[in-house]
Amino acid sequence: MGIYIPTTMADHWLKLLICVIALSNTKVNVRASEMVNITLLSNAVEKGAVCLDGSPAGYHYAKGYGDGANSWMIYLPGGGWCGRKQSCIDRVKYSPMLSSTKNITQETFDFYNWNRVFIRYCDGSSFMGDVKKVDPETNLHKRGSRIFTAVIDELLSKGLKNAKNAMLTGNSAGGLATILNCDRFRALVPNANTVKCVSDSGFFIHAKNLPNAAGRERTFARVVHFHCFFPENLVADIKTPLFLLNSDFDKFQIQVNLKPHPVDNPGWVNCTRNITTCTPPQLQIIKDFRNTFLETVKGLGNNPSRGLFINSCYIHDFLYLMGRYNSQDSPKLHNKAIGDWYFNRSSVRLIDTKIDYPLDCKIGSGNFV
């Protein structure tokens, strides 16, 4: 199905966030990490572009420089979802970083010369909610779609309208948001020469043949009230070039979305935290997930504009945590795959079809969620 990625992953991976922006053949000026203040969206309340708790949406913006002055990266972070009234109330109460901008001041960026924008994820629905009515009892606002549109509109006035290159990217729930909003992003920046999207660990599969399929359906149907929410039902229709970066042993999907039949339940939590403790039936369920994931990717077809890097690391999220791309152990992918794909220097369809066991890739500290 694809190119085999050797088990010596440390020799064949990429410091991904560097490669996302270090895309051209020109020299990249990498600066030390910097703290970037939050910008609250202008007229957010009037536009209805507010967080779950009603606070104005916000973003962090670091201005580009040099030959990156007209290139933009828009980043959508992850953070799960809330699909029920009570789970959204709990999110506001216990996870203010994912439901409000009231106490947020700065965000750390690592350093490339593109314009970098980190949009705060505070709506709980992968930037897809657009419910005008506010529940008077809970004061919950479901306005993620308005947040995305309003932030992009504001950035257009700050130079995004003159972009030559633009990229929408994100991890986990933000990776899913990247898939869901990819064509909309392209439409919002019509004058850019090159617009592409990179989804990190956002390809959540339905896996009808695996345990807890009904549970997965209920979970995602609560977040967006239609079942085509699963990326496998959407990716083929996306016209904007899209890069899927994911593990076929996605740790979050295995730990949270994949629940075995009752006979296999004992020890499942310990198994998914430490693969070496898995019983043979438990390990087989995990391998079945990997096989189903690869079959689902294969079912997307061979769109020539689509890039793929599907590996067997037992990890969820590659781009977000500094330790993963700053670590000396962080594997590098030869030939700057994302850059080659972004600038059409070559097609990139790298899929590990040989390793059928989840790999502990030891990226950064090695203890990742």
Side-chain angles (χ1 to χ4, degrees):
M1 180 179 173
I3 297 176
Y4 165 52
I5 303 172
T7 56
T8 54
M9 300 294 288
D11 295 326
H12 296 276
W13 192 248
L14 102 126
K15 287 191 176 179
L16 278 162
L17 200 52
I18 291 177
C19 284
V20 167
I21 300 305
L23 294 172
S24 69
N25 286 318
T26 59
K27 184 178 180 180
V28 176
N29 182 12
V30 179
R31 296 193 271 187
S33 296
E34 57 184 297
M35 298 299 292
V36 180
N37 289 327
I38 190 170
T39 298
L40 296 180
L41 185 65
S42 300
N43 302 316
V45 175
E46 290 85 347
K47 296 174 182 176
V50 296
C51 300
L52 269 175
D53 69 344
S55 59
Y59 58 92
H60 304 265
Y61 169 46
K63 191 174 179 61
Y65 58 91
D67 60 7
N70 289 320
S71 296
W72 290 71
M73 181 187 74
I74 313 299
Y75 195 92
L76 307 177
W81 310 273
C82 63
R84 292 176 174 173
K85 178 188 290 188
Q86 188 57 52
S87 65
C88 288
I89 291 172
D90 291 343
R91 193 177 180 95
V92 170
K93 185 175 181 179
Y94 300 113
S95 302
M97 292 287 287
L98 295 172
S99 59
S100 178
T101 57
K102 289 178 179 177
N103 297 308
I104 294 172
T105 56
Q106 296 180 319
E107 183 68 33
T108 302
F109 283 158
D110 215 30
F111 285 98
Y112 322 100
N113 62 353
W114 282 32
N115 295 277
R116 288 98 58 207
V117 180
F118 181 104
I119 303 179
R120 299 303 314 190
Y121 179 39
C122 63
D123 67 281
S125 65
S126 287
F127 296 92
M128 289 300 291
D130 190 7
V131 179
K132 183 177 181 179
K133 185 178 179 181
V134 177
D135 188 328
E137 180 183 349
T138 63
N139 195 40
L140 291 175
H141 297 68
K142 302 174 184 178
R143 306 281 179 77
S145 179
R146 297 191 191 190
I147 290 173
F148 181 82
T149 300
V151 170
I152 298 301
D153 282 346
E154 184 160 303
L155 294 173
L156 289 171
S157 68
K158 295 187 175 184
L160 181 57
K161 65 181 179 182
N162 299 318
K164 293 181 180 179
N165 303 305
M167 178 185 292
L168 179 68
T169 184
N171 67 293
S172 191
L176 176 59
T178 297
I179 294 172
L180 297 174
N181 289 286
C182 187
D183 280 343
R184 186 152 69 109
F185 180 63
R186 164 77 268 190
L188 290 169
V189 287
N191 297 325
N193 295 336
T194 303
V195 178
K196 297 189 178 184
C197 305
V198 177
S199 171
D200 168 19
S201 303
F203 193 72
F204 295 89
I205 64 172
H206 192 170
K208 294 180 181 179
N209 61 313
L210 296 181
N212 199 40
R216 288 188 291 279
E217 291 171 4
R218 287 192 298 269
T219 296
F220 289 118
R222 292 188 195 110
V223 180
V224 177
H225 298 293
F226 53 90
H227 285 84
C228 68
F229 180 83
F230 288 101
E232 64 209 64
N233 299 321
L234 302 171
V235 168
D237 294 325
I238 294 174
K239 297 179 175 58
T240 306
L242 173 68
F243 194 104
L244 298 178
L245 166 65
N246 225 107
S247 170
D248 53 19
F249 287 107
D250 187 305
K251 191 172 185 180
F252 178 87
Q253 294 194 59
I254 289 172
Q255 285 186 328
V256 178
N257 293 347
L258 179 66
K259 295 180 180 178
H261 299 296
V263 68
D264 297 313
N265 272 331
W268 178 252
V269 173
N270 288 335
C271 162
T272 57
R273 289 177 177 172
N274 181 356
I275 296 296
T276 62
T277 69
C278 294
T279 64
Q282 290 168 342
L283 187 58
Q284 187 58 53
I285 291 173
I286 292 172
K287 290 183 176 182
D288 288 344
F289 175 88
R290 175 256 184 187
N291 294 335
T292 300
F293 190 98
L294 291 179
E295 284 299 314
T296 303
V297 170
K298 183 178 180 180
L300 299 177
N302 295 313
N303 186 328
S305 75
R306 187 181 307 129
L308 293 171
F309 193 100
I310 310 299
N311 62 87
S312 297
C313 291
Y314 190 49
I315 281 176
H316 179 74
D317 292 348
F318 294 90
L319 299 181
Y320 185 64
L321 296 180
M322 279 190 174
R324 297 192 182 178
Y325 55 81
N326 284 337
S327 169
Q328 293 300 313
D329 298 324
S330 181
K332 303 176 182 68
L333 176 62
H334 292 172
N335 301 319
K336 298 190 296 296
I338 294 179
D340 287 346
W341 167 79
Y342 187 90
F343 282 111
N344 301 315
R345 293 193 290 260
S346 68
S347 62
V348 178
R349 295 181 65 84
L350 300 174
I351 304 174
D352 186 351
T353 60
K354 301 296 184 181
I355 303 299
D356 67 350
Y357 189 90
L359 297 175
D360 181 3
C361 295
K362 296 290 185 183
I363 303 177
S365 68
N367 298 314
F368 301 124
V369 176

